[in-house]
Amino acid sequence: MQNAADGGHPVDPFVRKLAHGATLSEADRAVLARFAEPARRRERGDILQEGANLQSVVLVLEGWVYRYRQLENGMRQITTLYMPGDLCEPFGAVSPRMNHALAAATPVTLALVPPQALREATLASPQIEKALWWDLLLSDTITREHAVSLGRRSATERLAYCFCEVRERLEMVGLTQGESFAFPLTQAELADMFGLSTVHVNRSLQELRRTGLVSLQGRRATIHDLATIREMAMFDVSLFHSDVVTRSAAGSTPPGRRPDTREVS
Amino acid sequence: MQNAADGGHPVDPFVRKLAHGATLSEADRAVLARFAEPARRRERGDILQEGANLQSVVLVLEGWVYRYRQLENGMRQITTLYMPGDLCEPFGAVSPRMNHALAAATPVTLALVPPQALREATLASPQIEKALWWDLLLSDTITREHAVSLGRRSATERLAYCFCEVRERLEMVGLTQGESFAFPLTQAELADMFGLSTVHVNRSLQELRRTGLVSLQGRRATIHDLATIREMAMFDVSLFHSDVVTRSAAGSTPPGRRPDTREVS
DNA sequence: CGGTTGCTTGAGATCCATCAATAGGAGTGG
DNA sequence: CCACTCCTATTGATGGATCTCAAGCAACCG
């Protein structure tokens, strides 16, 4: 049995990610690390067809996965991107008949976690509970911001936003190397992700390269000017680092709270 | 104190909606109905600004609400639409600093539910637990399908899809009258929802009317040919009626399960 | 090697945005 | 009741962003 924390091996990205959402004890980490163990490997390509039967939550340990939907007219839309440490469904439940398909963008290592086990971990530790809800809220935020890209950002801005987002997510799990990080998506996949044609993705990428903001070579991306690309992408970092409330009665007013914020009252 | 189930008054849409996700006992319904009680009214316009402080989950009882995000360049994207019976956040947690704004499309009645109370109800009744997770999965599906519209449907198809979706959601809570239903959205709101200009929304709506599929008058919509509009919108009803698994060990193979479906194995 | 996959480039067509102007209804104050 | 304003829906004209079709090229692979 492989322990994710032993020498040389990278720390389990699931634990690493969730640690951003709550202060996890050693016991908490051990519980979570156990979910990330029984791994399956998959080559690039479909993992689960639409309509497939599923009883567990898919957890990505290595590689990139995405969820997509194929329309009757042949068009395809990628709706979500999953990277190491990401759960492909909300932690507490699964739709037994998949209504979107799941595919691997690279060779991947996965774990299958029964939703019941996650919910039980939630009962055993309020910190795990908080971390899992934080994770769920974060993926909601990412999904909504993807809709903002699709609706209101230009092709170039969408791609720029994508680089900012991916960088942020990979950094959370310690998978960036300085200014660069793995970026294995095909231009055709980017097109299906952002509602564009591959031709236009190609040209928009060239524009990003021409301005010197990003370079892209051999399935890796390097961001040369983070501040500028964030500005042109209208990327709001704070979305990725917001807090979460699971127990409304729990705390008194937190220290950082500004008294003038408006509430529903 | 007003009982949502008493004579003449419509049945609480929250209970009515959740009843689609699980078989609720009378006790379950009573518990849920209590959440839908302490109501606030709001006129059309913003409810919560971006950055507002929030400790409770907003539950819509009457009227339409939407979540939007305003970009620095002045553009606006509506990311989610909420109708009676809808929770505006996942039931178990809230982001205390709102990262999207919430607005009322019509005068609305709301309830504020502490996430802790919902999670506790979840512990008391497995059926409530199942219903709430079903609801969360459904709103995820709706959000993803919205992304499919934004990415891969034409303007006319997006609007057609919208009518199909709204009809389906309103029917679940008993708010359709035959072929017609309330549709209070402004053309400017539709534009911000579907990443279009108001001018183009206007012209696309005219096309839908010209083909005789939908009519739209006085904040109400009537669908004249459901089968045809569903086909042109590539609307998949089954997305709105899928099952949910909360306890993976719980059941043996359900009766409808086809043995040939593919699983991750 | 031939076949496949992914990237690149060019030219013309289409969808949709922008700008500008008009018109109807709803509310408001005189 | 009228004048006024604001909001929403509507229409026309023009331009731009992006798509489609078509082709070529490089890398990889059995």
Side-chain angles (χ1 to χ4, degrees), chain A residues 91 129-130 132-137 140 243-247, chain B residues 54-57 67 88-96 113-116 118-119 136:
Chain A
F91 67 87
E129 175 176 48
K130 185 177 176 189
L132 286 172
W133 280 108
W134 167 84
D135 182 54
L136 191 149
L137 253 46
D140 269 14
D243 202 7
V244 55
V245 172
T246 47
R247 306 177 178 274
Chain B
L54 182 67
Q55 302 281 331
S56 299
V57 176
R67 189 184 276 257
C88 298
E89 289 88 18
F91 66 89
V94 171
S95 187
V113 190
Q116 188 174 12
L118 283 167
R119 291 198 336 285
L136 191 150

Side-chain angles (χ1 to χ4, degrees), chain B residues 10 12 35 68 73 75 110 139 147 172 201 247 256:
Chain B
D12 173 0
F35 292 130
Y68 72 88
N73 64 3
M75 293 200 152
L110 308 173
S139 50
M172 271 196 223
V201 165
R247 306 177 177 276

Side-chain angles (χ1 to χ4, degrees), chain A residues 135-191:
Chain A
D135 182 54
L136 191 149
L137 253 46
L138 177 59
S139 50
D140 269 14
T141 300
I142 290 172
T143 302
R144 282 196 298 267
E145 209 54 25
H146 186 216
V148 175
S149 279
L150 288 167
R152 290 303 189 200
R153 278 187 255 254
S154 72
T156 317
E157 289 166 351
R158 288 178 214 185
L159 293 169
Y161 186 91
C162 180
F163 288 117
C164 295
E165 176 197 318
V166 166
R167 198 204 76 95
E168 203 66 25
R169 292 171 67 181
L170 288 179
E171 188 167 68
M172 271 197 225
V173 288
L175 291 176
T176 53
Q177 292 79 34
E179 308 296 296
S180 76
F181 47 90
F183 196 90
L185 292 183
T186 279
Q187 291 185 3
E189 286 164 338
L190 284 170

Side-chain angles (χ1 to χ4, degrees), chain B:
Chain B
M1 186 179 80
Q2 184 151 20
N3 183 333
D6 61 9
H9 209 267
V11 177
D12 173 0
F14 185 48
V15 175
R16 185 143 182 182
K17 184 184 182 197
L18 289 188
H20 289 275
T23 318
L24 300 174
S25 69
E26 272 312 312
D28 292 335
R29 286 165 194 266
V31 168
L32 292 172
R34 221 167 302 129
F35 292 130
E37 257 180 35
R40 284 162 168 75
R41 306 214 95 252
R42 275 285 183 283
E43 290 308 305
R44 198 165 178 282
D46 276 359
I47 298 174
L48 284 162
Q49 311 276 358
E50 195 162 339
N53 187 290
L54 182 67
Q55 302 281 331
S56 299
V57 176
V58 176
L59 166 60
V60 181
L61 299 175
E62 293 175 356
W64 289 25
V65 170
Y66 56 83
R67 189 184 276 257
Y68 72 88
R69 194 153 145 70
Q70 188 90 39
L71 294 182
E72 299 141 24
N73 64 3
M75 293 200 152
R76 190 171 88 133
Q77 177 67 40
I78 294 178
T79 55
T80 331
L81 203 57
Y82 301 104
M83 297 178 317
D86 288 338
L87 292 168
C88 298
E89 289 88 18
F91 66 89
V94 171
S95 187
R97 186 189 177 283
M98 286 279 294
N99 50 29
H100 286 60
L102 217 54
T106 66
V108 292
T109 311
L110 308 173
L112 293 183
V113 190
Q116 188 174 12
L118 283 167
R119 291 198 336 285
E120 278 165 6
T122 250
L123 298 179
S125 157
Q127 291 307 309
I128 288 182
E129 175 175 48
K130 185 177 175 186
L132 286 172
W133 280 108
W134 168 85
D135 182 55
L136 191 150
L137 254 45
L138 177 60
S139 50
D140 269 14
T141 299
I142 290 171
T143 301
R144 280 197 298 267
E145 208 55 24
H146 186 215
V148 175
S149 280
L150 288 167
R152 290 305 190 199
R153 277 187 256 253
S154 73
T156 316
E157 288 166 350
R158 287 177 215 186
L159 292 168
Y161 186 91
C162 180
F163 289 117
C164 295
E165 177 196 317
V166 166
R167 199 204 75 93
E168 203 66 26
R169 290 171 67 180
L170 288 179
E171 188 168 67
M172 271 196 223
V173 288
L175 291 176
T176 53
Q177 292 80 34
E179 309 296 295
S180 76
F181 48 91
F183 195 90
L185 293 183
T186 278
Q187 292 185 4
E189 286 165 336
L190 284 171
D192 283 338
M193 190 159 166
F194 291 111
L196 300 167
S197 66
T198 64
V199 173
H200 200 63
V201 165
N202 183 290
R203 290 181 171 132
S204 304
L205 282 176
Q206 289 178 44
E207 189 181 330
L208 281 181
R209 281 189 279 234
R210 194 156 7 90
T211 57
L213 294 178
V214 181
S215 56
L216 199 52
Q217 36 203 320
R219 318 274 118 177
R220 291 188 66 77
T222 308
I223 295 186
H224 297 109
D225 185 346
L226 188 57
T228 306
I229 201 177
R230 279 185 175 171
E231 192 183 341
M232 78 100 61
M234 297 173 285
F235 178 84
D236 181 354
V237 210
S238 73
L239 292 183
F240 287 74
H241 302 286
S242 55
D243 201 6
V244 55
V245 173
T246 46
R247 306 177 177 276
S248 46
S252 51
T253 303
R257 178 179 169 192
R258 313 214 309 283
D260 59 347
T261 48
R262 303 195 7 188
E263 309 185 28
V264 175
S265 55

